[in-house]
């Protein structure tokens, strides 16, 4: 579900760390900043600004919504890895 990794990271870093999440659906999770949109619509400068500097760790579990079109779904998944 949206925010499951963010929830785990929040447990690890506690209140002293900064957490910024990007997902199509913002999770119901306190203690972080969440951008409810596609990663393709977020810039590195925006993330750096929200974090207050460069990130120490970047964690991704992105997965494209599938449509049942094997080739199209594969292409969309490759685009996430660029």
């Amino acid at each position: 579900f949206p925010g499951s990794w963010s929830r785990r990271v929040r447990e690890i870093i506690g209140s002293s760390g900064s957490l910024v999440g990007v997902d199509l659906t913002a999770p119901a999770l306190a203690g972080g900043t969440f951008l409810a949109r596609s990663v393709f619509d977020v810039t590195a400068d925006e993330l750096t600004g929200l974090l207050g500097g460069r990130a120490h760790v970047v964690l991704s579990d992105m997965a494209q919504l599938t449509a049942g079109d094997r080739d199209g779904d594969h292409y969309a998944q490759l685009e996430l890895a660029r």
Side-chain angles (χ1 to χ4, degrees):
F1 66 92
S4 57
W5 274 108
S6 294
R7 186 178 318 277
R8 180 66 181 130
V9 168
R10 174 50 61 206
E11 292 172 1
I12 294 169
I13 66 173
S15 60
S16 63
S18 297
L19 171 65
V20 176
V22 179
D23 204 319
L24 294 175
T25 305
L29 178 66
T33 301
F34 296 94
L35 306 174
R37 59 183 190 258
S38 169
V39 296
F40 295 117
D41 299 330
V42 178
T43 67
D45 288 339
E46 184 177 13
L47 293 174
T48 302
L50 290 169
L51 288 167
R54 296 183 67 179
H56 293 205
V57 174
V58 175
L59 175 69
S60 171
D61 70 337
M62 292 186 292
Q64 183 66 32
L65 297 174
T66 58
D69 171 13
R70 184 180 174 131
D71 292 333
D73 289 343
H74 180 69
Y75 176 78
Q77 291 168 349
L78 290 174
E79 283 297 301
L80 287 175
R82 288 168 133 240

